[in-house]
Amino acid sequence: MTLTEQTSLSVTVGGVTRSLPTVRVGSVGRVPLVEFLGDSEFTNAAAEALLPLIPEGTEVLLTVVTNAVPLVHEISDRSGVPYVVARKKRRTYMQSPLIQDVPSMTMGVAETLWLDGPYADRLRGKRVTVVQDVIASGGTAQALGRFVERSGGTLAGYLAAFKQGESTLPLTYLQELPKSL
Amino acid sequence: MKVGATLGHVRMHKVEVGNVTRELPVVEVSPGVSVALFNMLGDTEVTEAAGRELAALLPADIDVLVTPEVKALSLAHVISRETGKPYIVIRKTEKPYMVEPVAREVISITTGKPQLLVLDGFDVPKVRGKKVAIVDDVVSSGGTLHSLRQIIEEVGGEVAAVVAVFTEGQERPEVTALGHLPLFS
């Protein structure tokens, strides 16, 4: 891929406008990519806009590495609601982690999520909202939802900055993005 | 790592980050060597405290922050937010959308396995000719730091500062840190 092949899609969140690059994915066409990493201004704008959409009674936010981490940190700091992060690889220091498979649409191969035991403990008996930057098929979100149930928490809802696909999950989001251009 | 054996009577190491105090569990990572585990992921309070303190210590002439994924991501975000300086993330895998990525391998001290560090070619112009501050959570053996330096210098950037919450093991005068973690034996 070369830079000149990229066309773009413009999105505005809370007064901050970004031109999203697109990449060609197989036969799907050009897929617009949201990038919060490296963009604190866009991250802050999205976090502020998402605050009123956090399901009522939420006590903990749950997300997964990597792209949503600064966004969820910022939501947490502004709302005062703590957050927990699931990993995509086992880490050596994990204690009794929960393991959950997710069917991945990106590669067509299964992906596995890991939730460290002490993090799972923080979900027990709590109302938990799953937060992601983008929810597409919803497979990862559902796997995170399973972590909430398996930890003994209650799923309060799914929250995303962007919806990009045909997920049937009950989802709260800021904007919908086209799957391809 | 003998996690199961120490459950219930885990040795703890107390640290202070700004006005925040945390008890870190001390765990064995190789025979006879234990470390205090510091994980900022999911700790909003520590991340904010450390980010604000490090932002205040950042040299004014820094152009851009560079951080390796994953654990220091929110720290870099906070320093960026507080200083207005942009940050770039060095990834641990090559992504299909990357343009002419620049990669280096490093042996991780926590996993003992080779770890790839990848800079998206798209980000190279943001580093070339710039004064760069490397941002990390803990600088320990310095392996990651060495590889980050190589990547930054290869694309024409100058590493003008290294900022971290903690140094670990040996003292590192070149690193601006808020504290130091000992190795336990």
Side-chain angles (χ1 to χ4, degrees):
Chain A
M1 191 187 65
T2 65
L3 284 173
T4 50
E5 275 178 6
Q6 293 189 351
T7 55
S8 66
L9 175 75
S10 182
V11 294
T12 301
V13 172
V16 176
T17 301
R18 288 293 180 267
S19 171
L20 306 184
T22 62
V23 290
R24 184 168 294 284
V25 176
S27 56
V28 179
R30 305 208 66 91
V31 176
L33 288 183
V34 176
E35 185 64 281
F36 285 111
L37 293 187
D39 193 342
S40 52
E41 192 188 11
F42 193 48
T43 301
N44 295 341
E48 188 63 31
L50 283 165
L51 286 183
L53 303 185
I54 298 172
E56 222 175 303
T58 297
E59 295 170 286
V60 184
L61 307 171
L62 173 64
T63 192
V64 63
V65 292
T66 301
N67 293 357
V69 168
L71 175 68
V72 179
H73 167 85
E74 199 59 42
I75 295 171
S76 169
D77 185 48
R78 287 165 192 245
S79 65
V81 178
Y83 74 104
V84 161
V85 183
R87 306 295 297 258
K88 291 182 178 176
K89 281 181 191 157
R90 178 175 197 135
R91 312 307 304 178
T92 46
Y93 52 76
M94 286 182 171
Q95 302 168 25
S96 316
L98 296 183
I99 306 161
Q100 186 71 45
D101 281 336
V102 46
S104 168
M105 294 299 124
T106 17
M107 295 297 181
V109 292
E111 189 171 51
T112 303
L113 305 187
W114 301 76
L115 185 66
D116 198 2
Y119 279 173
D121 290 345
R122 294 190 207 167
L123 306 184
R124 184 174 304 133
K126 294 289 201 292
R127 288 182 57 79
V128 183
T129 294
V130 168
V131 188
Q132 289 185 265
D133 52 343
V134 178
I135 292 185
S137 73
T140 302
Q142 269 178 306
L144 292 170
R146 283 288 296 141
F147 274 148
V148 176
E149 294 166 11
R150 290 176 60 197
S151 304
T154 308
L155 186 62
Y158 296 99
L159 182 64
F162 298 99
K163 176 181 177 175
Q164 191 173 24
E166 286 95 39
S167 165
T168 53
L169 294 175
L171 181 64
T172 309
Y173 56 93
L174 295 175
Q175 288 180 33
E176 185 154 5
L177 295 177
K179 269 179 82 178
S180 63
L181 298 178
Chain B
M1 182 170 54
K2 294 182 227 162
V3 168
T6 58
L7 277 179
H9 47 93
V10 183
R11 185 174 170 190
M12 305 298 271
H13 178 71
K14 186 176 172 181
V15 293
E16 284 175 16
V17 178
N19 54 353
V20 184
T21 303
R22 288 289 180 273
E23 298 274 346
L24 309 181
V26 176
V27 299
E28 192 172 28
V29 288
S30 60
V33 180
S34 296
V35 299
L37 277 186
F38 176 65
N39 190 350
M40 310 179 80
L41 268 185
D43 195 332
T44 309
E45 212 183 355
V46 161
T47 304
E48 285 291 323
R52 286 164 192 264
E53 292 248 331
L54 289 173
L57 296 174
L58 198 73
D61 62 350
I62 294 294
D63 299 308
V64 62
L65 312 169
V66 169
T67 192
E69 69 171 332
V70 174
K71 285 196 288 181
L73 275 185
S74 295
L75 178 68
H77 163 80
V78 172
I79 299 175
S80 169
R81 189 194 69 206
E82 294 298 310
T83 61
K85 298 179 194 294
Y87 75 102
I88 290 167
V89 180
I90 304 256
R91 307 302 299 257
K92 290 185 173 171
T93 51
E94 205 172 293
K95 306 293 177 189
Y97 54 77
M98 285 181 174
V99 185
E100 296 173 28
V102 183
R104 276 287 177 282
E105 212 168 63
V106 57
I107 305 293
S108 162
I109 192 172
T110 28
T111 62
K113 291 177 189 160
Q115 173 67 66
L116 203 62
L117 294 173
V118 191
L119 175 67
D120 189 347
F122 185 78
D123 289 326
V124 168
K126 303 175 194 167
V127 175
R128 180 174 296 140
K130 305 287 192 206
K131 283 186 182 298
V132 177
I134 294 173
V135 177
D136 210 346
D137 55 347
V138 180
V139 175
S140 187
S141 72
T144 302
L145 189 57
H146 180 72
S147 297
L148 288 171
R149 261 184 206 283
Q150 282 191 330
I151 291 177
I152 291 162
E153 285 167 9
E154 178 177 332
V155 303
E158 179 202 342
V159 178
V162 180
V163 300
V165 185
F166 295 112
T167 50
E168 182 175 62
Q170 63 184 108
E171 302 278 352
R172 292 186 171 272
E174 81 275 23
V175 179
T176 301
L178 301 179
H180 182 75
L181 300 175
L183 292 176
F184 301 83
S185 51

